[in-house]
Each structure stands twice: as C-alpha cells, then as structure tokens.
Amino acid sequence: VVVSGFSGLDVVDGELALYNTNSFGSATAIVSYLEWGSTGHGRSSVAISAGLWTADRFLPAPTATQSLQRALEEVNGESFFALTEPTFCAVNAGVSSTQSFAELEGVSIFPNPTSNFSVVSIEGNDNQDVEIRLFNSTGQLISARSEFGTNVSSQLDLATMPSGTYTVQVISGNAATTRRVVKR
C-alpha cells in the first residue's frame, strides 16, 4: 500500500492506521499501525491495546529521499517498519512475480472467536497440497503446515498466543484465500 499525494498527512510527525471496519476506536478493527516523528498520537493507544504497537515507540521522520516501509527480515521472518532509501516508489529494475491466484472456495474456520483452538476446514480441494499459514497482527509468520486431500481439516493451536486478531492464509494450487481468527 502506498499512501501519497493527499492533504492532512504530516510527513514530519504523524500516524497511519489500517482498519478492517470503520470502528476507529476498536482494538479488534485495527489491522496495522505506524507513527513517526513523535509518540502519543490519537490512535496509538488503540494500536497498543491491539498489540500492534509499543508505547513510546516511533520512527524518525523520513527525509526527502526516504520512505516509511514495512519490511520482512529474511533471517527470522519478522515484520517491522523502517526508514528506507531510495523511496518505495523509485524506479525498480527488479522482476516481479506474475503469478496470480484465484479465490479458494470452501474454506471455513471454527470456532471463531476462540480461546484455545480453531479448525481450518477446506472442502472440495481436488486432492491437492494445501499450505496453511498463521500470521500475528504485525504480519509475523507464527506457523505453517502442509496438508493433502479433497476435504482437509487442520487444527490451529492458539492456546498460548496472546489475545488478538490473527490472519490465516490458505493456498492450494493456483487458488488462495485469507481469513481472520480472533483469540479471546
């Protein structure tokens, strides 16, 4: 997601949050958060209670040649925000993947919300390999497993995880889907 060219966003001192509903004060609706320049902006307490942000944490303001980017560390798969040069919108000579995915049908997660375990159910999979990935609210990969079959049922163990919203990604062949599961 690139945010550019609109008034009201202070590039020196500000915040940016992504929500899955218009409940902007809800810790269950906030999906991602970033603040720069200083701490204590209007939605930082929501992000902190959702486990997306830490009190008194902020990134320095970007310079004219920098941008604020979400990065994934190759070594341990941890996702974090950082200042990066050149800017994200700079010309990129790299080659990007052209693979596109269709929506994977027949995926359900229950119970949802849960306090311990949820089951990911995939029906009508045509005996293909299925990859099931679980991510925390900051985009960090928590677990990944492969299954095989027409009707796949796989258990997600959230018993030791903190309360919050998790993302489940299911990929099978050229089809994929993403679902949310809430741990109480």
Side-chain angles (χ1 to χ4, degrees), residues 131-154:
E131 186 170 354
I132 302 168
R133 300 175 183 167
L134 178 66
F135 298 88
N136 68 14
S137 59
T138 64
Q140 181 180 12
L141 180 65
I142 302 298
S143 68
R145 71 172 55 104
S146 293
E147 304 282 349
F148 180 82
T150 299
N151 296 318
V152 174
S153 184
S154 184

Side-chain angles (χ1 to χ4, degrees), residues 43-166:
R43 299 289 178 217
S44 65
S45 62
V46 176
I48 291 166
S49 77
L52 297 174
W53 203 250
T54 305
D56 299 324
R57 177 179 166 219
F58 65 94
L59 282 156
T63 66
T65 61
Q66 292 178 318
S67 64
L68 300 166
Q69 298 181 25
R70 186 155 196 131
L72 180 65
E73 187 166 59
E74 295 295 324
V75 177
N76 65 9
E78 182 179 333
S79 178
F80 59 94
F81 279 103
L83 290 173
T84 304
E85 293 187 57
T87 69
F88 186 73
C89 296
V91 175
N92 180 356
V95 178
S96 298
S97 169
T98 57
Q99 182 177 9
S100 62
F101 288 97
E103 180 69 21
L104 181 60
E105 302 292 331
V107 176
S108 59
I109 300 176
F110 56 90
N112 190 10
T114 184
S115 33
N116 292 313
F117 299 93
S118 282
V119 174
V120 178
S121 174
I122 303 109
E123 294 183 3
N125 187 47
D126 295 330
N127 276 331
Q128 292 191 31
D129 286 325
V130 176
E131 186 170 354
I132 302 168
R133 300 175 183 167
L134 178 66
F135 298 88
N136 68 14
S137 59
T138 64
Q140 181 180 12
L141 180 65
I142 302 298
S143 68
R145 71 172 55 104
S146 293
E147 304 282 349
F148 180 82
T150 299
N151 296 318
V152 174
S153 184
S154 184
Q155 187 173 7
L156 296 175
D157 182 358
L158 298 170
T160 60
M161 303 305 237
S163 296
T165 302
Y166 294 83

